[in-house]
Amino acid sequence: MKRIVWILIPLILVIGCAVKGRHGKKVGAPETGKSKGLPPAQSLPVEVAPVTVGRMDRTLVITGDIKVDEEVEIASKISGRVRFVAAKEGDRVSRRQVLATLEETDLKAQVQIAQATLRSARARLAQLRAGEGMRFSQTNTRIEQARASLEAAKVRVSQLETQAQITETQTSAQVQEAEAALAASNQRLSMMREGMRKQEKAQSQLAVTQAKANYDSAKAYCDRRKQLFQSGAVSKEMVEEAERQLKVAEAQYQSAQEQANLVQEGFRSQEVRMAEEEVRRAEETVRQAKANVSSNKIRKEDIASAKIQVKQAEVDVKNALAGNADIKVTREEIHAAEASVQQAEGAVALAREQLRNARIVSPVNAVVVSRTVNVGEIATPGMPMMRIVAVDTAYFEGNVPEIDVSELTPGLPVNVTIDSSPGKVFRGALRKIIPLASAANRSFRVRISVPLGSSQGGGELVKPGSFARGQVILSSNPQARIVPKIALLKRDGKDVLYVVRQGLAQERTVTTGVIAGEKVEAKSGVEAGDQVVTSGADALQDGSKVKVVTKSNKE
């Protein structure tokens, strides 16, 4: 019933105004605020809201993607076997943190060799400087060095030839042993399939005796190699080879014993299958033994290279002896010695650098997004081991229409929201404006920094590739007069509203500024604290009587 009354009252008032317009106004008489309003006895119900003072920001919305400045593929600078991997996919790594390490034994040895060469070069330089006028002494030193080099080269050739002979003998023996083992395995399998005769039983016992003799011989050979290794006469590889032969002889001895037992007892189907498997293993051993023969070619190449070094050393000795009669230390020789020192210093620096390169480190603060290497694999220069992304350098790139780009300057604050981080607002800043417009849509690219941990919710990582929106704050007025957007009316092309004072509605023309949602900045026309009409203004004129009500009163 109340709602019907509120609907009828404005209708009656409008009819009354029309009647008064016909009968109460003189033709040509000027209109006043009172003549345009309602009769004095009636008041229009209106709702009001105060003009407040607060912060109003003029903003520009930008859309785009999250990108990063640095995406790095981690690779080793040197070749080597991977000893340790410290990071996996998803791990956050810091700058200079070790990501992986390579085997360092050979690299450390190279550093020691380079350091020894440097010490030798420095010693030679010191000798040249100290004995610039001592020809004979220096000549003798040169001869001794040349002879020492020649002797060392000859010793190396002798060692290589000895090792090659031993290796060749060993590989031949390995082939023979493997072929003999294969033949024995085949014979054993054949006997198991066909059954045993008395002669075969005797042969099995003979095989046990022969295998025992081979085992004793291999054990004695292995013990001799160990003694020679302790005195430095043989290499560790030769000892390992002797140990391997001992194991093979021991296995053959045990196999012969088992064979003899099986001859006496007979064989089951499971034992036949085991014998077949033993034949297959023996065939594989023969294949590997024959493959080892090809490695002898490498040793022959080493011997040829060592012999060339011997010839070069012999030439050096002849040159040293030829200069014994008329040797003279000159400044050029000192310069050459200084160059040798510099070269040796460079070799030391390079060897140390190679050793440092065995430790692969992260160049930036980043997150590991992929890993393609595992412990034990061989790393080579240029082969990607990991891919990391520097999320700390993430930025937001979007497009701005050319009509708005003139209002942007680097450093403006930007509030960024990212779809992959819902509910988070990241505090960024305009970093760069790319000064080249797109020919397709006449827009300019802008880059906005998004620092790590800049969100309201805490230090969440931004995710590269995510869709984002940025709100650039072009200007801000902390003391803006704010009116509700619903209070504004358009009349004669102007923005107007009504201010209620002493029961009357005063029409005010306002100049608007920033519009933010349901709030509007009023630059002129109202003052803070003014009560502006937010409901019922459509029926008002300047000077209309009004009655302030609330929504609860209406209902």
Side-chain angles (χ1 to χ4, degrees), residues 72-89 98-103 357-362 368-388:
V72 185
E73 280 194 345
I74 302 298
S76 174
K77 294 182 180 180
I78 60 174
S79 296
R81 188 177 299 278
V82 179
R83 183 173 64 88
F84 175 68
V85 180
K88 60 182 180 296
E89 294 179 353
V98 176
L99 302 179
T101 59
L102 307 181
E103 293 290 347
N357 289 337
R359 299 166 64 86
I360 296 94
V361 299
S362 173
V368 178
V369 297
S370 66
R371 192 186 92 177
T372 58
V373 69
N374 295 304
V375 174
E377 296 179 349
I378 300 298
T380 57
M383 181 188 75
M385 301 175 67
M386 295 182 187
R387 187 165 66 91
I388 62 175

Side-chain angles (χ1 to χ4, degrees), residues 197-214:
R197 297 186 295 272
K198 292 182 179 181
Q199 296 85 348
E200 292 171 340
K201 293 181 179 180
Q203 288 178 357
S204 67
Q205 292 298 329
L206 180 60
V208 170
T209 303
Q210 184 178 358
K212 178 64 167 60
N214 291 339

Side-chain angles (χ1 to χ4, degrees), residues 424-475:
K424 303 286 186 180
V425 178
F426 294 84
R427 304 300 185 188
L430 183 61
R431 187 173 73 182
K432 189 175 184 180
I433 303 172
I434 308 300
L436 179 64
S438 169
N441 53 16
R442 298 300 177 185
S443 62
F444 289 81
R445 286 186 300 142
V446 296
R447 292 181 180 177
I448 299 165
S449 61
V450 186
L452 177 65
S454 63
S455 67
Q456 292 177 342
E460 180 175 337
L461 292 177
V462 296
K463 301 174 180 63
S466 302
F467 181 79
R469 299 171 182 84
Q471 192 176 53
V472 185
I473 301 175
L474 300 177
S475 62

Side-chain angles (χ1 to χ4, degrees), residues 30-155:
E31 295 183 352
T32 64
K34 291 183 179 180
S35 64
K36 293 181 181 179
L38 296 174
Q42 295 178 342
S43 298
L44 285 175
V46 295
E47 293 180 10
V48 297
V51 177
T52 60
V53 176
R55 179 189 178 94
M56 291 292 286
D57 297 327
R58 187 164 64 92
T59 62
L60 173 66
V61 176
I62 304 172
T63 59
D65 301 320
I66 297 297
K67 299 182 179 180
V68 292
D69 281 333
E70 295 178 316
E71 182 174 350
V72 185
E73 280 194 345
I74 302 298
S76 174
K77 294 182 180 180
I78 60 174
S79 296
R81 188 177 299 278
V82 179
R83 183 173 64 88
F84 175 68
V85 180
K88 60 182 180 296
E89 294 179 353
D91 286 354
R92 181 168 178 79
V93 297
S94 58
R95 184 171 179 265
R96 295 181 181 175
Q97 177 179 334
V98 176
L99 302 179
T101 59
L102 307 181
E103 293 290 347
E104 299 178 347
T105 304
D106 293 342
L107 298 174
K108 289 180 179 178
Q110 291 176 7
V111 171
Q112 293 175 353
I113 293 172
Q115 289 174 338
T117 303
L118 176 58
R119 287 193 295 269
S120 176
R122 286 175 174 171
R124 175 171 171 76
L125 177 60
Q127 289 175 353
L128 291 174
R129 286 174 173 171
E132 188 172 357
M134 302 172 62
R135 298 179 302 173
F136 182 76
S137 176
Q138 290 191 353
T139 301
N140 287 341
T141 301
R142 184 178 179 187
I143 293 173
E144 291 174 359
Q145 290 177 346
R147 286 175 175 171
S149 299
L150 175 59
E151 186 65 24
K154 288 180 178 180
V155 170

Side-chain angles (χ1 to χ4, degrees), residues 99-300:
L99 302 179
T101 59
L102 307 181
E103 293 290 347
E104 299 178 347
T105 304
D106 293 342
L107 298 174
K108 289 180 179 178
Q110 291 176 7
V111 171
Q112 293 175 353
I113 293 172
Q115 289 174 338
T117 303
L118 176 58
R119 287 193 295 269
S120 176
R122 286 175 174 171
R124 175 171 171 76
L125 177 60
Q127 289 175 353
L128 291 174
R129 286 174 173 171
E132 188 172 357
M134 302 172 62
R135 298 179 302 173
F136 182 76
S137 176
Q138 290 191 353
T139 301
N140 287 341
T141 301
R142 184 178 179 187
I143 293 173
E144 291 174 359
Q145 290 177 346
R147 286 175 175 171
S149 299
L150 175 59
E151 186 65 24
K154 288 180 178 180
V155 170
R156 176 167 173 75
V157 170
S158 178
Q159 290 177 345
L160 290 175
E161 288 177 343
T162 302
Q163 292 178 0
Q165 291 175 357
I166 295 174
T167 303
E168 185 175 0
T169 303
Q170 290 175 347
T171 53
S172 299
Q174 289 174 6
V175 173
Q176 293 175 1
E177 291 173 1
E179 290 176 344
L182 176 59
S185 298
N186 284 325
Q187 183 180 5
R188 181 171 179 271
L189 177 61
S190 177
M191 288 189 298
M192 293 179 69
R193 289 174 175 171
E194 297 175 0
M196 302 298 175
R197 297 186 295 272
K198 292 182 179 181
Q199 296 85 348
E200 292 171 340
K201 293 181 179 180
Q203 288 178 357
S204 67
Q205 292 298 329
L206 180 60
V208 170
T209 303
Q210 184 178 358
K212 178 64 167 60
N214 291 339
Y215 169 72
D216 293 339
S217 176
K219 188 174 186 305
Y221 179 79
C222 182
D223 292 339
R224 288 196 303 273
R225 283 291 176 267
K226 289 181 178 178
Q227 292 175 358
L228 292 174
F229 173 71
Q230 291 177 355
S231 62
V234 297
S235 64
K236 184 179 180 180
E237 289 77 7
M238 298 177 66
V239 175
E240 292 176 348
E241 180 60 27
E243 291 175 345
R244 190 193 67 77
Q245 292 179 11
L246 176 60
K247 291 180 180 178
V248 171
E250 182 180 4
Q252 291 175 350
Y253 176 47
Q254 293 176 353
S255 175
Q257 288 179 325
E258 293 174 358
Q259 178 77 14
N261 293 334
L262 291 174
V263 168
Q264 299 297 328
E265 298 174 1
F267 305 100
R268 296 186 295 271
S269 60
Q270 294 88 343
E271 293 172 333
V272 174
R273 286 195 296 272
M274 291 175 62
E276 292 173 345
E277 179 62 26
E278 184 178 349
V279 169
R280 285 193 292 271
R281 289 197 297 268
E283 290 173 345
E284 177 63 21
T285 302
V286 171
R287 187 189 65 78
Q288 292 179 354
K290 290 181 178 180
N292 291 336
V293 175
S294 61
S295 64
N296 292 336
K297 296 180 180 179
I298 299 176
R299 294 187 178 276
K300 291 180 180 179

